[in-house]
Amino acid sequence: MIKWIILVGYLLIMVGIGFYCSKKTKNVSDFVLGGRSIGPWFSAFAFGTSYFSAVVFIGYAGQFGWKYGISATWIGLGNALIGSLLAWMVLGRRTRTMTKHLDCKTMPEFFEKRYDSRTLKIAASLIVFIFLIPYTASVYNGLSRLFESSLGIPYIYCIIIMAVFTAIYVIAGGFHATALNDFIQGMIMLAGIIAVVISVVNAKGGFSEAMQNLGTIADDSGNTGTLNSVFGPYPADLLGVVILTSLGTWGLPQMIQKFYSISDDKAIKRGTVISTIFALIVSGGCYFLGGFGRLFATTDAADTSKTLINVVNGKLEYDAIVPAMLESALPEILIALVVVLVLSASMSTLSSLVLTSSSTLTLDLIKPAMKKGMDEKKQVLIMRIFIAVFLLISVIMAANKNAYITTLMSISWGALSGSFLAPFMLGLFSKKITPAAVWACFGFAVIFTLGHTALFCMGWFPEIAKAANSLPIPITVTSPLNAGAFCMLFSLVICYVVSLFTKVKDEKKVENAFSCYSK
């Protein structure tokens, strides 16, 4: 009853905020960017809550905590220092300045105006729409597993309920509603993760005893003493995860567009500090928590002293680890807090994803195709319709409960950041980056991601995996995670090299784009 009262009360507050903020949404800029007037606290929390969702708390913390032990905490530190601190320092001010100067509301629109190419905008729009869908599905997947575990709601009903409530407050209030909700959700996440970590560690006798016991458990290779070590059993693979989950934010449209809306340079400086602290607590706490997963779990049904972790078709069900350990370690009131914590993180991420996707389709694909043009009201209406459509497609994809959260997210982040990170970041700093280089990044990231995903799904990697694991530094090159990290890093090389051998389309327009930095 406590869980249900807290949950229903929270959902009603979120919907109420949506309708309250609908009064502030008068035009397209208000709906998509909040009128570019968002302060540092709201901007920082919007960035952080869009970054971390049930994907991290349920999927990544469970799978990587199980595989790497306490060293999984490095992923959270990487998220804070690379994914938040450096992202704000390197991209924040220059993104806000140039996008305001060029009057860009979306990332595809930036590619059109920065590189003087309408076809680049169309291609970027399609990439955004297609590859945000698996990310959205992974968020549904993680949240629904927790709801199913703690509230007994069937998986598919969890997904539908989540989609309906997200649609209501985003459609009603747009960016203003998501920003205000993100702030409230962020405060819940901070309080919740601290309380949960303390409770879980204390449930195993405190930090020292938990660490000592963790060291006695064998890792996936059968070795002991690695799960409580600084760099864990597989440091090379761990590095790949850090790169994917940290550097990936630099090329994700739903993250980068948070810099479009921030009010001024002072807000960026304060937002940098707030966002970094937020990431350090939330992400660091999630992966630290996941590192103790093996202390709570067993795959042996005869062992009634621990929570049973499901094994499906001979494979461990990673996405069930964190819900199971929380159910085992936490009192009823804290489980209710966790439900709201994960719901907060997930709803904020979902709202950001659907708003990004719908605005991109409307402003970058539909509006240019309309010969008679579209007024502001019609643009906002179409965006609201696409929000509903996007959520429906994501629900259908998320209905496949067997898809790992980490796999879905890796596909999404690999394609999006592999396509956008290099041409966006380098395009803010260098006048020499060419449209041909942007096309090369788009083509490589999409083809590589789709090809790797197809081979991975068809199971064509066993021999490659055996060869890779025999190397002096074992690294699973067949993993979607490492594939995504490689895609991001190699796109930087491609963008730079192709630009050396191709020409800028119109030097005067490039000079105009960069003139904003001299003002």
Side-chain angles (χ1 to χ4, degrees), residues 62-139:
Q63 181 168 344
F64 299 134
W66 185 277
K67 184 175 182 179
Y68 304 121
I70 203 66
S71 66
T73 309
W74 283 108
I75 306 172
L77 296 176
N79 293 170
L81 299 178
I82 302 173
S84 292
L85 178 63
L86 279 181
W88 277 74
M89 291 176 64
V90 175
L91 301 178
R93 177 181 173 273
R94 295 186 80 89
T95 297
R96 177 190 173 274
T97 303
M98 185 176 284
T99 56
K100 186 176 182 180
H101 174 66
L102 296 177
D103 191 26
C104 303
K105 298 180 180 68
T106 66
M107 184 176 278
E109 193 174 10
F110 169 85
F111 287 120
E112 177 192 30
K113 295 183 177 180
R114 166 63 181 84
Y115 295 104
D116 191 26
S117 173
R118 183 183 174 188
T119 51
L120 274 178
K121 179 177 74 171
I122 295 173
S125 301
L126 292 173
I127 292 172
V128 169
F129 181 76
I130 292 170
F131 287 102
L132 277 184
I133 291 175
Y135 187 18
T136 308
S138 70
V139 176

Side-chain angles (χ1 to χ4, degrees), residues 27-218:
N27 53 47
V28 173
S29 179
D30 288 340
F31 192 83
V32 178
L33 299 176
R36 297 185 189 268
S37 60
I38 307 300
W41 282 92
F42 279 16
S43 295
F45 273 64
F47 187 91
T49 54
S50 296
Y51 195 167
F52 309 115
S53 65
V55 172
V56 172
F57 191 78
I58 303 298
Y60 273 33
Q63 181 168 344
F64 299 134
W66 185 277
K67 184 175 182 179
Y68 304 121
I70 203 66
S71 66
T73 309
W74 283 108
I75 306 172
L77 296 176
N79 293 170
L81 299 178
I82 302 173
S84 292
L85 178 63
L86 279 181
W88 277 74
M89 291 176 64
V90 175
L91 301 178
R93 177 181 173 273
R94 295 186 80 89
T95 297
R96 177 190 173 274
T97 303
M98 185 176 284
T99 56
K100 186 176 182 180
H101 174 66
L102 296 177
D103 191 26
C104 303
K105 298 180 180 68
T106 66
M107 184 176 278
E109 193 174 10
F110 169 85
F111 287 120
E112 177 192 30
K113 295 183 177 180
R114 166 63 181 84
Y115 295 104
D116 191 26
S117 173
R118 183 183 174 188
T119 51
L120 274 178
K121 179 177 74 171
I122 295 173
S125 301
L126 292 173
I127 292 172
V128 169
F129 181 76
I130 292 170
F131 287 102
L132 277 184
I133 291 175
Y135 187 18
T136 308
S138 70
V139 176
Y140 281 129
N141 194 326
L143 181 69
S144 298
R145 287 179 182 276
L146 181 64
F147 270 42
E148 190 176 41
S149 170
S150 61
L151 296 175
I153 305 175
Y155 179 82
I156 189 65
Y157 293 153
C158 296
I159 296 173
I160 294 171
I161 293 169
M162 182 72 177
V164 169
F165 275 96
T166 304
I168 290 173
Y169 88 77
V170 178
I171 289 173
F175 193 91
H176 280 290
T178 60
L180 181 53
N181 275 327
D182 286 347
F183 182 74
I184 296 172
Q185 291 158 350
M187 297 300 292
I188 294 171
M189 289 167 66
L190 287 173
I193 195 65
I194 292 171
V196 169
V197 168
I198 292 173
S199 298
V200 166
V201 173
N202 286 339
K204 290 301 176 182
F207 178 72
S208 297
E209 184 175 336
M211 286 289 287
Q212 184 176 354
N213 291 336
L214 192 63
T216 64
I217 300 174

